[in-house]
Amino acid sequence: MAGCAATGVRATLRAMPFLRLVFLSLLLLTACGSEQNDPYPLGERGGNILYAAFTERPKHLDPVQSYSEDEIAFTAQIYEPPLQYHYLRRPYALVPATGETVPVARYYDAQGRELPADAPAASIASSVYEIRLRPGIRYQPHPAFAVDDAGHPWYDRLDREQLRGIDKVADFAKTGSRELLADDYIYQIKRLAHPRLHSPIFSLMAERIVGLRELGATLRTAAKTLPADGWLDLDRFQLPGVTRVDSHTYRIVLHGKYPQFAYWLAMPFFAPVPREVDRFYSQPGMAEKNLTLDWYPVGTGPFMLTENNPNSRMVLERNPNFHGESYPCDGEAGDRAAGLLDDCGKALPFIDKAVYSREKESIPYWNKFLQGYYDASGISSDSYDQAVRLGVGGDVQLTDEMREKGIRLLTSVRPSIFYQGFNMLDPVVGGLSESATKLRQAVSIAIDQEEFISIFMNGRGIAANSPLPPGIFGFVDGEAGINPVVYDWVDGQARRKPIEVAKKLLAEAGWPNGRNARSGEPLVLYLDTTGGGMGDKSRLDWLTRQFAKLDIQLVVRSTDYNRFQNKVRKGAVQLFYMGWNADYPDPENFLFLLAGSEGKVATGGENGANYVNPEFDRLFEQMKNMESSGPRGAERLAIIRQAVAVLQRDAPWIYGFHPKNYTLGHVWLHNRKPTDMGNNTLKYQRIDVAARQESRQAWNRPVLWPLAAMAAGLLLLVLPAAVGYRRRERGTAR
């Protein structure tokens, strides 16, 4: 109760300790305010600080390894790859970050002759991307850049003894900075091949970047000669596919044509790591104290990590050396009306600090959000009914309690899909025969995805019509985008076909009323799953009832994850559940899941359905190396629509649903737009600090009347005793 005060205690109370305590407590309570509930330090009160929570501790903050949502929430604010996604535009569009422009690939044949931009992919032997950096960009202050008057690093020959008393980066007395150079990006790309770092994208990039696979083999040999904590200086090794043009320009050469590579240039994997930072953290004793790039990242972005306690609290603060950037002035329809263009042209970032607190349980997280101590929150199953409700038309709306607090609801469809696949190698459900195709179409109609989303996902999803989710080039909304096998367009909306249509298709497939037309045997289908978690039984019971609508018996075969994966690899399944999250916002990243060249059994690829249709494969090969923008964008869209129509007709998947994200934000938090691609969004957020403080005070006033009532009751109990005590004292005195 620091800061509370009480005065004016009567002399008569001094002789009565219990009564005096009650009276003082009442006065103390009346002097206390809402700040007593504030979970943050007094020094942060009124600061331009964004408060958020995280539930899982990040494991890797080194951009060569980091590949999870828990980590990129931090790394994307610190590191700057050459490209980024425009914050407001949809479909997602690449724009420069540290680069001057979005690079356009130049193509060459096997003889080294340059080819036109529309050259057939088969004639292209190599693609060249040249990235020019903006001059004057500088790194955050860091001891790795500290140098003496002669330009020699202060901290390049440390040992364990010299590290005594140093437990965090802030303990180093000296820091420095320097300009961002092309060599820093080259050094990081070489780190993808480092045998001790185990980058998750090395194998993929080794197929694309010229010489990267060979560099990996060379580094593995070199690493064997080093001690466990030895430093591998990557500048000693050449990478022919990544070269320096000048101090601010570097060149990347790829095998063949791969237009999706530009999306990788917006990921932290391709952010810069300076050689001296790698050297600094590789010194003896550093790793033992968690003094590593995995713990203390170094970047040129708008924020730097100043506190890292992943079990409790992580803090990002404004990078004083940030090169500057402006809030965007254009977006998509509706952004201006939503206030998302109000800060057009203003300098970024808006906030000075972001404090992230670890919350392991959803209830404390939710309660602190409602108190105004977190600026935004997701919606867990525990708080769903308190936060939102379904409107008359089935749309999701905020509850009255949320609206009264001025809380805003943001929804977005994730670039993901969850689907139920048919094994196209199976003799019953597989193949492209008319009977097998109609069987799959009938089941696709019968499984009511809308009902599943409503019951099991609280409405947080939309039924899928194809592999392509909203926000991805090639997705078509409205009547033109429905799956005509499963839906009709009625009164301006998609309506699932009646079950009678599915039964008719099943009969035409040779299974009238779920029985073989010749033998009379019942149709039994087998679903392999990794079930066993909370709620799985009810979901599988629901699914069994969906098949029963067609008189099909569903047998569920549950197993552990490893066994399930092994069965899918061998094609020893009939039906199975799978999901896919986009690596980058290109239709190729979804349609390749059904390409014949990706067959799980044939090639070990990602096509778990083992679907092969020469017509689809031809269309996929046509579109996969085309650009979505420019003069050929319309042509690519037309090819995608043809390919999607083939998939809808063949039904190798039951196109399940695209999940929705629901997030809540307080009225004082501005410039929030859902995005599942661009992760460097903290710099766009703005806080109205005064409005937040006012709401916190209003929502967290102490409720004193129960204490006052209790104290009054105590007074009534002790007052007769006090009066009697005073009488006895006076009588004794007389």
Side-chain angles (χ1 to χ4, degrees), residues 408-457:
R408 299 165 176 162
L409 172 67
L410 293 178
T411 65
S412 64
V413 181
R414 294 179 57 188
S416 309
I417 185 169
F418 290 91
Y419 61 90
Q420 192 173 340
F422 296 97
N423 179 10
M424 298 295 282
L425 301 178
D426 183 81
V428 177
V429 301
L432 296 178
S433 67
E434 183 179 1
S435 60
T437 299
K438 287 187 174 182
L439 189 160
R440 294 192 299 271
Q441 290 176 347
V443 174
S444 298
I445 294 169
I447 298 180
D448 192 336
Q449 302 296 338
E450 290 80 9
E451 184 177 287
F452 179 89
I453 294 166
S454 174
I455 295 174
F456 297 105
M457 300 184 64

Side-chain angles (χ1 to χ4, degrees), residues 112-131:
R113 295 177 299 224
E114 187 165 359
L115 299 172
D118 59 352
S123 66
I124 297 173
S126 61
S127 306
V128 177
Y129 291 82
E130 194 163 287
I131 297 107

Side-chain angles (χ1 to χ4, degrees), residues 50 116 486:
L50 183 142
V486 176

Side-chain angles (χ1 to χ4, degrees), residues 471-696:
I472 301 298
F473 183 84
F475 173 83
V476 179
D477 205 357
E479 183 176 5
I482 66 169
N483 181 352
V485 170
V486 176
Y487 292 96
D488 294 316
W489 190 257
V490 181
D491 296 330
Q493 61 182 359
R495 182 173 298 172
R496 186 170 291 272
K497 289 180 183 291
I499 194 66
E500 288 72 26
V501 175
K503 289 181 176 180
K504 182 174 183 293
L505 285 169
L506 192 64
E508 292 171 357
W511 298 94
N513 300 315
R515 292 186 174 271
N516 189 291
R518 295 179 180 177
S519 67
E521 294 181 0
L523 176 57
V524 181
L525 298 182
Y526 297 88
L527 171 72
D528 282 272
T529 176
T530 58
M534 185 182 300
D536 278 347
K537 183 181 184 303
S538 58
R539 282 189 285 269
L540 293 173
D541 288 345
W542 174 88
L543 186 63
T544 301
R545 292 194 297 272
Q546 301 298 298
F547 279 85
K549 291 188 294 188
L550 295 176
D551 298 308
I552 297 174
Q553 299 177 33
L554 181 69
V555 176
V556 178
R557 301 186 293 202
S558 297
T559 185
D560 63 78
Y561 181 75
N562 291 333
R563 173 68 176 151
F564 171 77
Q565 289 291 333
N566 190 48
K567 292 179 76 172
V568 172
R569 275 194 298 272
K570 293 179 178 179
V573 294
Q574 192 174 54
L575 291 92
F576 58 92
Y577 272 118
M578 282 281 188
W580 184 259
N581 295 318
D583 291 310
Y584 44 82
D586 191 89
E588 178 267 346
N589 195 233
F590 286 91
L591 297 181
F592 92 108
L593 297 170
L594 288 159
S597 58
E598 287 285 332
K600 182 69 74 175
V601 172
T603 68
E606 295 294 341
N607 180 357
N610 299 296
Y611 170 70
V612 179
N613 183 326
E615 182 184 4
F616 172 79
D617 287 342
R618 176 182 59 81
L619 293 166
F620 175 74
E621 289 298 321
Q622 265 187 277
M623 63 73 56
K624 75 173 186 177
N625 290 319
M626 297 174 70
E627 287 78 13
S628 298
S629 58
R632 301 197 67 185
E635 181 184 352
R636 191 186 198 207
L637 179 60
I639 295 171
I640 290 170
R641 294 187 67 176
Q642 292 178 57
V644 165
V646 173
L647 296 178
Q648 291 170 334
R649 180 195 68 208
D650 289 350
W653 290 357
I654 299 169
Y655 304 105
F657 61 90
H658 308 296
K660 267 187 176 182
N661 280 338
Y662 284 19
T663 59
L664 300 173
H666 285 295
V667 69
W668 58 75
L669 180 60
H670 299 276
N671 300 334
R672 296 269 292 183
K673 183 169 183 175
T675 175
D676 290 287
M677 284 296 159
N679 296 286
N680 58 339
T681 58
L682 185 62
K683 60 188 175 184
Y684 303 109
Q685 314 301 302
R686 178 168 57 82
I687 297 285
D688 185 335
V689 177
R692 177 172 64 187
Q693 190 61 27
E694 182 180 345
S695 294
R696 282 183 177 178

Side-chain angles (χ1 to χ4, degrees), residues 80 136-140 176-180 299-301 319 321-323:
E80 287 191 299
I137 297 174
R138 299 184 65 81
Y139 283 97
Q140 67 183 68
S177 179
R178 71 158 171 82
E179 188 178 10
L180 172 69
T300 61
N319 173 9
N321 297 337
F322 183 54
H323 52 83

